[in-house]
Amino acid sequence: MNKKQTVIIFPIVIVILSILISLVFVFKNDSTNDQNTIKNEKNTENTENKEKKETNINSKWPTNELALLLPIPDNELDEVYDYSCDYYKGIGIDVNCNDRNDYLEYIEQCKNKGFTYDIKSSDVKNGGLGYSSFFSSYNKDGVYLLIVYDDGDFVYENGDHTNKNYSITIKGPITCNLIWEKGHRSGMIPQPNTSTGFIRSDDGLFEAMISNMSHDDFLEYIDLCSKKFNVQFKKVDVSESYDYSDEEYQATVDELDGTLSIGYTGFSNVIIRCI
């Protein structure tokens, strides 16, 4: 190759190499931009889903003082109920879940919030009451928490199954003065030795919810009723307790035309019921 040819070819090679290098950078940048775009779109999608989920949860979660004592579940909320009455404040929250692990995880979150007093739980399935497991406890201020898990195996009369869910019930302490009205049954059932509580009574039901009644007083009260009605109270299996009691006793009392049940639900709270 002569000198003239070399002078002509060399600039051409330089130009071709410059073009190739430019193309490499262009394709690389395009590829990087595409990857970044995809990554940003995924991040945006995840953020939107997260915000949508949090908005959905927060939009249903109650904002009263009782609800603020509890952690907000990661699962989707179903229904919210107001159980408040003249004697105490209360709310109920149904939460859809994937499995029992969600229920157990939420229990631990509630313990971390201070619900560690008079803990009671059962994993004995009770189809009659429609639950598979339950957990109950109080916090230091006497606020009551009940969490009931349903594994979806309960069948209604029409053949429908329940969904997997857990139900949260939280109630404030009873602080009202006990007025033992003298009705058909309350006139015969002994009045507990406490000044705090209330009774609800009609023709088919007598119910008294008592607070500030120690476990020793609870046992003494059962003995008092046993002697008054001359009956022997039988201890009820906790898994069959209608009130998820720590300890419950029942007896059929002819004078009352029904079954008298007395249950200790923890934190010096007692339920007396006659049906």
Side-chain angles (χ1 to χ4, degrees), residues 198-211:
F198 66 92
I199 67 171
R200 290 185 292 211
S201 181
D202 56 37
D203 293 338
L205 170 68
F206 169 87
E207 181 180 72
M209 301 185 71
I210 309 298
S211 61

Side-chain angles (χ1 to χ4, degrees), residues 65-170:
E65 58 187 18
L66 288 176
L68 295 178
L69 297 174
L70 297 175
I72 299 178
D74 294 330
N75 303 101
E76 180 184 359
L77 304 188
D78 188 4
E79 297 289 340
V80 177
Y81 310 92
D82 185 359
Y83 291 145
S84 298
C85 62
D86 294 336
Y87 310 108
Y88 60 82
K89 294 180 180 179
I91 56 175
I93 306 167
D94 290 343
V95 183
N96 294 322
C97 64
N98 298 313
D99 51 37
R100 189 169 176 272
N101 289 331
D102 292 339
Y103 155 78
L104 295 175
E105 181 180 345
Y106 188 71
I107 288 175
E108 292 304 313
Q109 293 175 12
C110 290
K111 288 180 180 178
N112 292 335
K113 285 282 189 176
F115 286 90
T116 57
Y117 293 80
D118 285 353
I119 289 176
K120 190 67 184 176
S121 63
S122 174
D123 290 325
V124 178
K125 182 178 178 62
N126 191 316
L129 295 179
Y131 70 80
S132 302
S133 304
F134 79 84
F135 168 90
S136 66
S137 64
Y138 294 81
N139 70 2
K140 63 182 179 61
D141 298 317
V143 176
Y144 173 71
L145 172 66
L146 171 67
I147 309 173
V148 180
Y149 173 66
D150 177 9
D151 62 7
D153 288 340
F154 183 76
V155 182
Y156 295 106
E157 292 182 357
N158 62 3
D160 292 340
H161 287 255
T162 55
N163 296 322
K164 285 184 172 64
N165 69 85
Y166 56 89
S167 300
I168 305 166
T169 301
I170 182 168

Side-chain angles (χ1 to χ4, degrees), residues 24 37 58 151 266:
V24 169
T37 300
N58 291 329
D151 62 7

Side-chain angles (χ1 to χ4, degrees), residues 17-61:
L17 287 176
S18 299
I19 293 173
L20 289 175
I21 292 172
S22 299
L23 289 175
V24 169
F25 277 105
V26 168
F27 285 122
K28 183 177 181 180
N29 288 335
D30 287 344
S31 177
T32 301
N33 290 335
D34 289 341
Q35 291 177 358
N36 288 334
T37 300
I38 294 173
K39 185 177 181 180
N40 290 333
E41 288 176 352
K42 288 183 178 179
N43 289 336
T44 302
E45 183 180 355
N46 291 335
T47 301
E48 289 176 350
N49 290 337
K50 183 178 180 181
E51 289 176 351
K52 182 178 179 181
K53 181 179 179 182
E54 289 177 350
T55 301
N56 180 47
I57 289 175
N58 291 329
S59 65
K60 288 187 176 182
W61 189 256

